[in-house]
Amino acid sequence: MVKVRDLGLGFNSDEIVLFKYCSGSCHRARSNYDLTLGSLLRQQLITPRPQERVLSHPCCRPTRYEAVSFMDVENTWQTVEKLSAAECSCIG
């Protein structure tokens, strides 16, 4: 569970959303998922277990995403497509 404003996508909202992620070491083009995971890791809002290696370009990649909806501080509903991992698999 993370605050929308901590996602690193520039949204101003006090809401908390569920951000599901994959972990690994394959490289791919940066998506909203990559930008958010990198931001959350830098802010230490995600703390991997000692046996995990979590990078913003993971090997275990989402093969399906979920959109996340929330209300911003202007009382407007926002939806971010392909934000949260719905299924993971090693790509590459």
Side-chain angles (χ1 to χ4, degrees):
M1 302 298 285
V2 296
K3 293 179 185 176
V4 169
R5 69 179 77 250
D6 293 331
L7 294 176
L9 298 175
F11 291 102
N12 189 10
S13 175
D14 296 322
E15 289 202 33
I16 295 174
V17 295
L18 176 62
F19 177 75
K20 296 181 273 184
Y21 62 96
C22 306
S23 62
S25 62
C26 290
H27 294 280
R28 268 187 66 132
R30 291 171 59 91
S31 65
N32 285 334
Y33 171 85
D34 298 309
L35 295 170
T36 298
L37 181 58
S39 177
L40 294 172
L41 287 169
R42 282 189 303 279
Q43 296 174 73
Q44 297 180 340
L45 296 171
I46 293 176
T47 306
R49 294 182 292 233
Q51 71 273 18
E52 288 182 316
R53 184 175 178 204
V54 180
L55 303 172
S56 60
H57 296 284
C59 177
C60 184
R61 294 287 303 178
T63 54
R64 190 169 62 82
Y65 294 92
E66 295 174 345
V68 174
S69 296
F70 55 89
M71 189 171 286
D72 64 20
V73 295
E74 302 294 325
N75 292 325
T76 302
W77 281 103
Q78 302 286 342
T79 299
V80 180
E81 299 294 331
K82 296 185 176 183
L83 177 64
S84 190
E87 291 179 8
C88 300
S89 182
C90 184
I91 304 299

